Amino acid sequence: MSASSPLPLPLPLLKRIPPGLWTALAWYAAAVEPIIEYVVMPSRRTYSLNYPRDGLDSLGAQALLAVAFVLVLAGSAMLRRRTLAAYGLVIVGTVISTVAWRQDEIPPTQFLAVDIALCHLAATRPRRTSLAAAAAALGTLAGYLVLRLFTGDDSSIPQEPFVALTVVIAWLIGNSSHQARAHTAELHARVAAEAVTAERLRIAREMHDTVAHSIGIIALQAGAAARVVETQPAKAREAMLTVEMAGRETLSGLRRMLGALRQADQDEDRQGRAHAPVPLRPAAGLAGVEQLAATTTAAGVRVEVRWQGRRRPLPADIDLAAFRIVQESVTNAVRHSGADSCEVRLDYRADELAVEVSDRGKGGGTSTDSGYGLIGMRERAALLHGDFAAGARPGGGFLVAARLPIPAGTDAEAKAGAR
């Protein structure tokens, strides 16, 4: 199972700027420039049909332009939260600005903000919604064109077809981004599902090894009991008790694991998932934690193991799951945390085993880490009806915590076997 992915690199500066800010910058730059050039600056010989010098002399025109400024500002501010409503405000504000200047068309620079908002909308909303938004922009442009045709104003080449082309380009860019995100999300979901299946296959292999070991013990003990049943009844009785304990423990573990896997398979069948097998590694148990700690310490990262509660034999599936959680967590700490030490705490409680692995590093990740090692650990805990959590610690570092329920009667069976 792969370890957690390293922390992602920070986004470039241009991508960190929200789309609403880009929209506001484009619109306000296009709106303020003619005010400065044709109203505030001293009179010059140059003059504009779109922006007449007396265009904003009336209080009504000034009020309309102020309303346009407010609408576009509001739309830009809420573009990420309420995209459709914000997009509509940007279009309405753009239209009102042309009314304030008494224009019969929308200048291309003024419509650039609408293109930016449309691009963001197409990248974040379903295709049907983005197509409706693009149609609204094209309809606005068509309305200006039709209005000029009815008024008989053909003094200049219509700009609407060229502006409409920018609308189409903006929608294509946004839609391509939307498709790329959807494809990436699908790939991540597929890899995560395969990671879950890989962990289940490993659990099945470990359970197979455990059952094979138990059957071997049963066969040996039964044979020994058969040989000494007449001459040494006490030893024969002890051997048969060992057979009974091994058989019950193996059967109990199989029932728990097969029941959990069957339920998980039914859930996946309802969701239509498909997975692929992954190579597995041999099994171990909590008896190997000390060796794991010594090996990791020798590699340069000190691992402290703290045992709490009364240590006792555990069912094989719980023992293996706990070791795998410790092993994966220590591996993640070594590879990604940057810490020089980590702590493993194993708490044997009355009805559960608590496992915690913590470090004080800087690169552990978050509780939503995309690494598939966390997925595997969470799957192991879930199949045993336990709880799993992983995330950054308030004081720094990373913490992995799991609680694995211990079936009732396990301790009594161990004591019976010991007798």
Side-chain angles (χ1 to χ4, degrees), residues 45-384:
R45 292 183 179 180
T46 59
Y47 123 103
S48 171
L49 292 174
N50 284 333
Y51 301 101
R53 186 166 296 278
D54 59 349
L56 298 179
D57 287 350
S58 66
L59 292 178
Q62 296 174 13
L64 284 175
L65 191 59
V67 170
F69 271 74
V70 172
L71 290 177
V72 174
L73 179 61
S76 301
M78 58 191 292
L79 186 60
R80 180 168 288 178
R81 300 188 306 273
R82 301 180 59 185
T83 309
L84 278 178
Y87 177 73
L89 289 178
V90 174
I91 291 181
V92 172
T94 304
V95 172
I96 291 178
S97 69
T98 63
V99 176
W101 281 101
R102 300 196 302 274
Q103 296 169 325
D104 57 3
E105 64 180 0
I106 300 179
T109 55
Q110 198 76 51
F111 211 76
L112 179 61
V114 178
D115 293 339
I116 296 175
L118 175 62
C119 183
H120 172 69
L121 191 149
T124 56
R125 301 300 296 268
R127 177 177 295 182
R128 180 177 300 180
T129 303
S130 64
L131 283 174
L138 295 175
T140 302
L141 295 173
Y144 277 89
L145 183 59
V146 171
L147 179 63
R148 283 210 314 281
L149 292 177
F150 274 108
T151 58
D153 183 5
D154 56 354
S155 58
S156 61
I157 299 176
Q159 300 181 11
E160 284 78 10
F162 304 102
V163 181
L165 182 59
T166 66
V167 172
V168 174
I169 293 174
W171 182 87
L172 289 175
I173 294 174
N175 185 65
S176 299
S177 177
H178 179 81
Q179 291 179 334
R181 290 182 181 180
H183 181 64
T184 301
E186 181 181 356
L187 288 179
H188 280 302
R190 186 179 303 172
V191 174
E194 290 178 355
V196 170
T197 299
E199 194 65 26
R200 292 179 185 175
L201 288 173
R202 180 190 295 177
I203 293 171
R205 175 67 63 82
E206 292 170 351
M207 181 57 66
H208 172 272
D209 294 343
T210 301
V211 172
H213 177 70
S214 299
I215 294 299
I217 292 177
I218 290 173
L220 289 175
Q221 294 293 337
R227 287 192 294 271
V228 300
V229 64
E230 295 181 356
T231 58
Q232 298 178 326
K235 288 188 176 182
R237 180 176 180 275
E238 180 180 349
M240 294 310 298
L241 287 176
T242 302
V243 168
E244 179 186 10
M245 183 191 69
R248 286 185 177 181
E249 181 178 333
T250 303
L251 182 60
S252 177
L254 279 174
R255 284 175 176 172
R256 285 195 304 272
M257 189 59 59
L258 291 177
L261 288 174
R262 185 178 296 112
Q263 179 63 39
D265 289 340
Q266 292 173 355
D267 294 341
E268 289 190 354
D269 289 340
R270 286 194 293 268
Q271 299 177 14
R273 296 179 184 172
H275 310 305
V278 176
L280 306 175
R281 292 179 295 185
L286 289 179
V289 168
E290 298 289 354
Q291 181 181 357
L292 173 67
T295 303
T296 309
T297 301
V301 178
R302 183 167 52 89
V303 178
E304 298 181 3
V305 181
R306 300 184 182 276
W307 302 88
Q308 297 180 353
R310 184 176 59 83
R311 294 179 62 177
R312 57 190 186 275
L314 298 174
D317 50 351
I318 298 176
D319 189 45
L320 292 173
F323 176 77
R324 288 301 188 195
I325 291 173
V326 172
Q327 183 184 46
E328 188 68 39
S329 301
V330 171
T331 301
N332 288 352
V334 171
R335 292 182 179 179
H336 304 299
S337 72
D340 57 359
S341 66
C342 68
E343 179 180 286
V344 176
R345 188 171 69 88
L346 298 166
D347 187 2
Y348 287 76
R349 300 172 183 173
D351 56 351
E352 66 181 13
L353 173 68
V355 180
E356 290 187 2
V357 181
S358 58
D359 62 69
R360 293 287 181 179
K362 299 180 180 179
T366 65
S367 60
T368 58
D369 197 304
S370 60
Y372 304 112
L374 297 182
I375 295 177
M377 289 186 278
R378 183 174 288 107
E379 180 70 12
R380 282 184 177 271
L383 289 176
L384 295 173

Side-chain angles (χ1 to χ4, degrees), residues 9-30:
L9 295 174
L11 291 174
L13 177 61
L14 293 180
K15 290 187 177 181
R16 280 183 278 172
I17 298 177
L21 182 57
W22 283 118
T23 302
L25 289 175
W27 196 92
Y28 278 91

